[in-house]
Amino acid sequence: MRERVAPAEIRARLWDAPVRIVHWALVLLIGFSWGAAEFDQMLLHRISGYVILGLLVFRILWGFWGSRTALFASFVKGPGRTLAYLKTLPNRSPTDVPGHNPLGAWSVLAILGVLAFQVTTGLFAVDIDAFEAGPLSDRVSFETGRQIAELHEASFTVLQVLVVLHVAAVLFYLVWKRSNLIGPMVTGRRRFAADPGLTFAPWWRVLATAVVAAAFAWFVSKGLRL
């Protein structure tokens, strides 16, 4: 027997492939980078860091000229709108927002910001024996490189807290708001009361952005030297 769907409900495209690929790639690489550092596999740690750098550059650029739901201008709201949204959280009704809600938007920016700080400090960091160092560590003194390395480690703790809060928020929406946020980030589609009329960037723009991001990450990995 076929499942009956309310006539007013429509399953529309929400997230494009670039956003979903970057999201899940960062999930995997953050864990991989942590594991590589814990097991003293610093070559793998550095390579993973360069890939994360490329993904971050891609996501930032995509936030300015990507698909509508990827644009920072479309989901980042001011304090007033964010506070108004916070007041709706006790309501169990699912939020019919096409994309990130105002609170989730600030969570995204926080995670991207801390990740950018993590990668940047890693580029200048030096270990205690000066045996392992980032590709830009020769731009700073040994003492400064060691201080940056400590910031690199400390910021990972901040990142861990943000990730835990992010997972908790996803579970809150799943259990309390009865809204599955994971499914759309896998399939790219979600049910809406009406067609949200979202627009998506062409593939040539995806490829062009990927080339720029990859070239930038490669250039940085070479110590900004050709």
Side-chain angles (χ1 to χ4, degrees):
M1 186 174 182
R2 293 183 62 185
E3 179 185 359
R4 296 184 63 184
V5 180
E9 196 174 59
I10 183 171
R11 190 168 184 266
R13 191 178 173 198
L14 175 63
W15 302 113
D16 61 15
V19 167
R20 288 180 283 134
I21 291 171
V22 168
H23 177 276
W24 294 115
L26 286 176
V27 170
L28 294 174
L29 287 169
I30 289 172
F32 180 83
S33 294
W34 172 79
E38 286 294 305
F39 288 97
D40 201 28
Q41 299 296 316
M42 298 310 296
L43 175 60
L44 295 178
H45 183 77
R46 287 197 302 273
I47 293 174
S48 179
Y50 298 145
V51 178
I52 290 175
L53 173 60
L55 291 172
L56 280 174
V57 172
F58 180 95
R59 184 61 186 91
I60 292 170
L61 295 176
W62 204 240
F64 291 99
W65 59 61
S67 301
R68 180 178 166 186
T69 49
L71 299 176
F72 298 129
S74 72
F75 63 80
V76 177
K77 308 299 179 183
R81 292 280 294 276
T82 304
L83 182 60
Y85 179 78
L86 276 171
K87 295 178 180 179
T88 70
L89 290 181
N91 187 341
R92 295 203 67 183
S93 300
T95 306
D96 197 29
V97 176
H100 295 297
N101 60 62
L103 189 61
W106 288 106
S107 173
V108 169
L109 291 184
I111 291 174
L112 291 178
V114 174
L115 266 178
F117 185 83
Q118 266 270 289
V119 172
T120 302
T121 52
L123 297 175
F124 292 91
V126 181
D127 74 355
I128 191 66
D129 299 319
F131 182 71
E132 294 288 347
L136 303 183
S137 59
D138 59 343
R139 270 45 171 208
V140 298
S141 66
F142 173 77
E143 291 75 16
T144 300
R146 286 300 303 144
Q147 292 173 349
I148 293 176
E150 292 176 1
L151 289 175
H152 183 69
E153 293 181 13
S155 62
F156 183 68
T157 301
V158 178
L159 180 62
Q160 288 175 306
V161 172
L162 291 176
V163 169
V164 169
L165 290 175
H166 182 72
V167 172
V170 170
L171 293 176
F172 170 80
Y173 275 87
L174 182 63
V175 175
W176 181 254
K177 303 288 278 185
R178 293 167 290 192
S179 180
N180 184 356
L181 303 181
I182 301 175
M185 191 54 71
V186 174
T187 66
R189 295 181 178 274
R190 199 192 111 186
R191 292 193 181 279
F192 293 94
D195 188 350
L198 301 174
T199 56
F200 296 88
W203 275 102
W204 68 263
R205 201 180 301 173
V206 178
L207 295 175
T209 307
V211 168
V212 171
F216 180 83
W218 176 84
F219 186 46
V220 171
S221 73
K222 297 299 181 182
L224 302 180
R225 298 181 180 87
L226 294 176

